[in-house]
Each structure stands twice: as C-alpha cells, then as structure tokens.
Amino acid sequence: MSDISIAKLIQGYKKFYRKYTGQEYSDYRKAAALGQEPKIMVIACSDSRVNPSKIMQSNLGEVFQVRNVANMVPPYRPDKGHHHSTSSALEFAVGTLNVEHIIVMGHSGCGGIKSLIDGAPVALDGEYSFISQWVNIIAQAKKKVSALPRQEQYHACELEALKISLKNLLSFPWIAERVKQGSLSIHAWHFDIASGMMMAYDEASDSFSPVIEDNGAASARRNS
Ligand SMILES: [Zn+2]
C-alpha cells in the first residue's frame, strides 16, 4: 500500500532542508528565536492517517499536540512513581503555555478503540499489555455500546470515548477551574478518514454535528 522507507524519508528531509536554508522557511528561524506561543492544544491519535496539522492546515507554532493511542485523556491521578505523558503535556499546555482551547480529536477506524472492543493484541511479554491497561481508561464506553451490532460498536465507542476524555479533562482541578472562569474551552471532535468529515460534540444536545457547512451537505448526501 505504501512504499515508504527510511530512504524516502531522508529524501523528504533533504527537500525540507533545502527550503529551510533558503528564504522560504524563515518562519522556523523566527520561531527558534521567539519560542512557541500556541493558544490551542490538540490531543489526537498516533494513527498515521490523522495528523492534525495536515487536516487543519495549521502553521508553525500554532497548535501544541499530543498524540497517543486512541487520543485519550486519562483521569487526574497524581500518583508518585508512575509516568504520565499525556498529563504532563496537559500541565505544560495549561500552566505554562496558557492555551485557550483543548481539542480532543478522535477518528474513524481507530485501532486503539478496536482493541478495546475486540481485546488487545497479545502482550509481547506474554503477561502485561500496556495497550489493554491504557484503553481501559474508556472501559465505560465499551459497556455503553455493547448492545449494538458489532460493526456499529466501533464508531459508537469512538464517540463515547471522546465524551469520557472531556469528563477526564475536567477531573484536572486546574482545567476545571479555568473552564469555569471562561479562560479555557474544551472540545471533542471526530474525523472520518474516508469522507473527510469533521464532527464536533455539543454537550447541550449530547450529539455530534458537522464543524463546517460543506460537511453537512456531505452528510445529507451520504444519508439520502
Ligand atoms: Zn486511533
């Protein structure tokens, strides 16, 4: 399917570097001198098809990102001796960068969600599976969709998982406080890889609707 190789990546980097050393990428040099001041954080999946910068066409220094398996926010758990990568990124984004928005972006065909529904791949050491521990964060989502036919469970679980991540964001006291004050907004979006549709969650109606009008038309065409 893909003919990517290390050599191809190096070729890509070569092109980038040629532009970088010319005028075209002067923004990088400016950013190196000034540092970053992104006002938006995106938490997306590690999946190779859902790069937020590509999908939302954001520029250098605009979006602070975390990518993890199934784009999840764990609950606030300040326990010593554990390593919390996503929570550290949240702490930095909120406490140091003062981001004004956090978007949790889910997607269709998510392997992490699939492993929650179908069971994680066998643990490499035969015992402890990091993946199954990790996706357990959204075990409630699996329960909620369990009555649906199996093929519908994946998509429904992707959406339910996003709602849990929103709830977990608010379990961080310094996030809840800023949301209450109005200095921080949190969002849950879902990207459909096949159609390109982006849906956003609306808490008041407990439903997802298209982020832009064109998506609405595409959705109507799809459902007619
Ligand atoms: Zn995924």
Side-chain angles (χ1 to χ4, degrees), residues 98-101 177-185:
N98 290 308
V99 295
E100 292 160 7
H101 298 272
E177 194 190 309
R178 282 163 174 79
V179 168
K180 207 172 156 196
Q181 286 167 355
S183 57
L184 174 65
S185 304

Side-chain angles (χ1 to χ4, degrees), residues 165-197:
S165 283
L166 284 185
K167 216 172 97 199
N168 287 346
L169 277 175
L170 293 173
S171 70
F172 289 75
W174 25 270
I175 290 181
E177 194 190 309
R178 282 163 174 79
V179 168
K180 207 172 156 196
Q181 286 167 355
S183 57
L184 174 65
S185 304
I186 57 175
H187 317 262
W189 290 8
H190 181 273
F191 178 70
D192 183 84
I193 299 174
S195 67
M197 273 179 56

Side-chain angles (χ1 to χ4, degrees), residues 45 47 70-71 107 110-112:
C45 186
D47 191 295
N71 47 266
H107 71 99
C110 182

Side-chain angles (χ1 to χ4, degrees), residues 53-96:
S53 299
K54 262 199 178 169
I55 295 169
M56 293 179 261
Q57 307 274 291
S58 59
N59 291 318
L60 193 66
E62 290 179 341
V63 177
F64 185 72
Q65 295 180 24
V66 169
R67 298 184 68 177
N68 64 34
V69 170
N71 47 266
M72 287 190 299
V73 177
Y76 177 68
R77 222 165 261 165
D79 42 359
K80 287 180 185 158
H82 288 82
H83 305 104
H84 298 284
S85 156
T86 300
S87 305
S88 331
L90 282 169
E91 187 177 75
F92 185 69
V94 173
T96 303

Side-chain angles (χ1 to χ4, degrees), residues 197-219:
M197 273 179 56
M198 186 76 86
M199 310 284 278
Y201 178 63
D202 172 54
E203 204 188 345
S205 59
D206 188 26
S207 63
F208 284 80
S209 53
V211 165
I212 57 167
E213 270 176 36
D214 288 5
N215 277 179
S219 168

